[in-house]
Amino acid sequence: MKTVLPDRQQSLLQWVSQATGINTFGVKVRLRGNDLHILCEGTECPQRWRTLSDLLQALQQTDVDLLTSKEEPSIYQVFVYGRRKGEQRPKWCHRVYLNQIDKHLEQVQQALLEDSEKSKQSAGALIVSNESLARQGNPEAIARYLSETLSMLGVSVQAKIKLYKPKNSQPEENRLWIFCLSSYSPDASLLAEPIAQKLRYLKLSGYQDAVIVSQVIGETAPDWLLRVDLTPPEVMLKEWARWGDVQAIARLLTEVLSLKVAVQADLKESTLHIFCTPAYDPLGIAAIPDKVMCLEAILPQLEAIAPQGILAATVYGQKAGDNQPTWIDWLALPATKHPAFAISPLDLANTGDQPAIVFLLERLLNPDLDWRLLTGGIRVLLLKKNDLLHIMCDAPVCPGREQVASKITQFIRQLKIPGIMGIRVYGRRAGNKEPFWHYGLDFEHRQRLVPEATPEFAATSKYFNDLVSSETNEPILRPDLTTQEVQTFVTEVARDWIATASATAKKFLLRSQLFTETHQSAEANPDAQGLKVALVWGTLGLLLTLQTDWVLGQIIARATPTNILPPSSSGQKASLTSGKNQSQKTTFFTSTSKTKSPPNQSSVFNASEFTQSDDTSIKNLAAAPLKEKATSTAILLAARSQMPSFNVRQLDEQLALYKQRLARTGSRPDVLIIGSSRALRGVDPAALSKALAAQGYPNIDVFNFGINGATAQVVDFLIRHVLEPSELPKIIIWADGARAFNGGREDITFKSIAASAGYKQALQKTPIAANSNDLPENAVNSPEEKTSEEKPEISTYEAVNQSLSQALASLSTSYQNRDQIKTLLQKQLFTLSPNQTVASEKQSTDGTSDESISRQAVDFDGFLPLSIRFNPARYYQKHSRVSGNYDNDYKSFQVEGQQDAACQELLQFAQSQKISLVFVNMPLTEDYLDPVRKQYEQQFQQYMLRLATNPKFIYRDLSQQWIKTNDYFSDPSHLNRFGAYEVSKKLANDPMIPWPVK
């Protein structure tokens, strides 16, 4: 015997070589999931039974799991292959179940005996399949059974049984847990239905459900959870048959008749017609089913089921294809004696009966009965809350919004349930707590204070992880409160707050020992003299504060230069620019001070570090509220995306954000803003949506897909090749300018994209010429279903605190110049420490460090809001003034060429998809439009006017709109958030743009 027991440190390869006697160069080993694959090869193909005999004896004496690392999954089965060196395919293959090695050895020994004696005896060993062992409910056998399928995907399986206590005080039940471990994160839709089918196929008894846990090897938290309903198919059939489902009744009766008789059923009014025919009669000579046998089997079953709304049954016996039955019988059903059973499920649903509504909805969403029995189908949970009906749909794979929302809406609308004024539909994967999508529709106008929150669906012992709102710090919205209840609550809270504040203030004053209670005698207060001491020291402290403030103010006054900046080349005074730009006044001290001057206070210094006149007032510009940044989310989504990269990080991240937006809302946006960085910074989706609502276009969904450096080629590629037809918007706002159409310069962005793997994959996809009218038109989500991402308004406390701070600041001579004071102190410290670098000072004077960070911080609408305001005096101290002659963006300027071709392709595609295409020539500053650029702009204007002759192309020119309003720009050619706000308002008010109507 060649087997040598290896120690724990020996590898699988060495162990196989020692066990089989084959050199290690002739052995290859691979572990995939729970399967170990062993390839044995030599100059001559190794003998099958001799190799297996040696290997099985070694397996019998060795725990194979000891040969692998602790992180590797357990091995359930071994595949052994044999081939000659140089050949591509093995000559033989044998599968070995490690839990049946003895039987395999017996089989191999019999085969060896046959080879030696040339006998014709059959093998005496019988290998039991994993499926047969799994049907007995053994968790290890179930894991081996599932691993036969999942190991090919590199997924290992472990199974455990855990007890759990139902919430309704029922006794503990067994729950089957299936752990799927892999080196990657498989998508739930890839494993959900195969696992559900295989588990339900086993028809396990003693389990209500199973929980599938997918986890990446090495991580502590599971990647996703999935619940599989293990309710036996017979129970599911009886549940539907109880509600009078004709197909389920026919299936049950066929099984009762032992599959010898085929049963077909049809319901007319309240009578069920049952046709009994031979189960198999290809020649037409089979006997007609026996009447007595059929009635004895059918009648008890129908009486036990007591189908809802069915009063009687008529049973026919005939051959398949005969027009006239051979025999007929009539049966009375329990509904004739019990009036409660006589009401049809539809009539019960019209009265608001929830079990009847659940049955009708599940039957509507599961038209294929076989598929429901195979996978568990789509389950419906129902919850009525006030005048809303909340409907949760879950399945092993989350039901698509288009698949279920419209069906449910139409069905519930037809029911006309009393007291129901609207519905909310949710979809999720079975086992998840939160819905993947939601949809809402109000049948009538509803008065509500705040948007409705996703309700809590009561969990039962039968189902696992029904929707329960997770505990978070987010505010809970209460749509059930009336106006009177809210007013009463506010009054009570205010009364309690006043009492609490009074008590707290009283306690604080007493603890300070400066005050005492009125009824307390002087003798009872031994520290009464402390009041005088406190007043003295308090007065001294106040005097010291005032004196220090005055001294600092005098120091700053002496250190302040008095010369004035001469007019800039743009014809504007720097002081005026500074007066319009509150955020830039303290830019010089950004890195040294986190505190900003109050909004109503004017700094001594302007943005160019010169003193400004006293009559300069600060201009507060309107802008949409800043939203939560989505940079980290975009990076994570792009990293996890299955789509290859386009070699342009911003494109990858914007695409990931857009895909997440589609998955969250379940519908394409109404308006898509596209273009270069001028679009990215220049059109605010939130401001545009709000302005459109004021114009009578409510709930318009807008997304900004701007990409730095995007040309016409990039835009054309994105719309026609990257986005699917179902992801295209109703209207495209292309916000850009002449630079994007210059066919004479090198298109660096598009060249980078064209060299990427994502570009190749996008071109390989077969284009689908779908009409936009054929795409599912999702109803608009009601305002209550949209999550507000705006920052909360300033609280009353913060407003009072801010007012007090401003009042005290107005009395102080140094408060307004606190940033300058800090700078002077830092300079003194730098002189004391000569080795100290001045990088921070340079960074602060540059004024771009914070801005450079924010440049990459888009929000969840894809918009990049910049607050910096363009000040030519400051800007050209840090940046060179480049004329149009030396601007690479205008190099060899020509509108004809590849960019024009891409524009024409995009225009034709938009027409075919019935998408309105609007091009907006974005605003520019007077500083930017020198004579050379003006000449190119005129050529571009003529080109655009030629394109505008096409009725499907709309051109809007805003390039000269705010040519002298630098406060609307972050640099000479890019708008800031204030300019974006104005552009968005102007576009919303433009009567030439065909905004979508919902």
Side-chain angles (χ1 to χ4, degrees), residues 39-248:
L39 173 63
C40 302
E41 58 183 4
T43 53
E44 295 294 334
C45 178
Q47 296 182 6
R48 175 175 184 173
W49 301 116
R50 176 56 58 190
T51 303
L52 287 173
S53 176
D54 294 340
L55 188 60
L56 287 174
Q57 293 181 49
L59 287 171
Q60 195 176 35
Q61 303 176 29
T62 307
D63 185 358
V64 185
D65 290 333
L66 296 179
L67 302 176
T68 60
S69 63
K70 295 181 179 180
E71 292 76 15
E72 296 290 345
S74 298
I75 299 174
Y76 293 155
Q77 53 190 0
V78 179
F79 289 86
V80 187
Y81 309 87
R83 73 176 182 186
R84 182 190 299 176
K85 276 187 177 295
E87 294 182 352
Q88 297 295 326
R89 301 181 62 84
K91 284 189 175 182
W92 55 266
C93 173
H94 195 91
R95 176 165 61 181
V96 178
Y97 297 112
L98 294 186
N99 59 339
Q100 303 181 57
I101 292 180
D102 293 338
K103 295 181 179 180
H104 281 291
L105 268 174
E106 183 180 348
Q107 185 184 45
V108 169
Q109 294 298 335
Q110 184 68 29
L112 288 173
L113 184 61
E114 289 178 0
D115 287 346
S116 61
E117 299 179 359
K118 304 296 182 181
S119 66
K120 297 182 180 181
Q121 299 178 4
S122 60
L126 179 63
I127 306 299
V128 182
S129 66
N130 284 327
E131 177 186 327
S132 301
L133 296 175
R135 288 184 184 275
Q136 302 174 10
N138 182 274
E140 184 179 354
I142 294 174
R144 296 176 184 274
Y145 166 70
L146 293 176
S147 70
E148 294 178 0
T149 301
L150 300 182
S151 289
M152 294 185 296
L153 302 175
V155 178
S156 61
V157 184
Q158 296 178 2
K160 295 181 182 179
I161 298 176
K162 296 182 180 180
L163 294 176
Y164 80 102
K165 180 69 175 178
K167 294 183 179 180
N168 53 3
S169 301
Q170 291 185 359
E172 290 185 340
E173 299 179 3
N174 288 331
R175 170 166 288 157
L176 181 62
W177 289 76
I178 306 295
F179 297 92
C180 299
L181 306 177
S182 58
S183 58
Y184 67 103
S185 178
D187 191 81
S189 59
L190 177 67
L191 303 182
E193 290 185 350
I195 294 178
Q197 291 180 35
K198 292 185 74 68
L199 285 177
R200 290 186 55 80
Y201 179 74
L202 294 177
K203 298 182 180 180
L204 298 172
S205 59
Y207 302 102
Q208 291 287 350
D209 52 24
V211 181
I212 314 300
V213 182
S214 176
Q215 188 169 342
V216 178
I217 297 174
E219 295 187 2
T220 56
D223 198 22
W224 48 262
L225 297 176
L226 170 68
R227 174 193 168 273
V228 178
D229 187 3
L230 296 183
T231 303
E234 296 79 9
V235 177
M236 286 186 169
L237 286 173
K238 289 180 180 179
E239 287 178 354
W240 277 17
R242 162 67 187 84
W243 284 103
D245 184 76
V246 176
Q247 191 178 0

Side-chain angles (χ1 to χ4, degrees), residues 349-352 384 415-420:
N350 282 321
T351 63
K384 182 179 180 298
L415 289 181
K416 297 181 179 179
I417 304 172
I420 297 299

Side-chain angles (χ1 to χ4, degrees), residues 900-914:
D900 173 55
C903 179
Q904 298 293 343
E905 291 286 344
L906 177 60
L907 182 56
Q908 294 178 10
F909 178 78
Q911 291 178 358
S912 67
Q913 298 294 316
K914 296 184 178 180

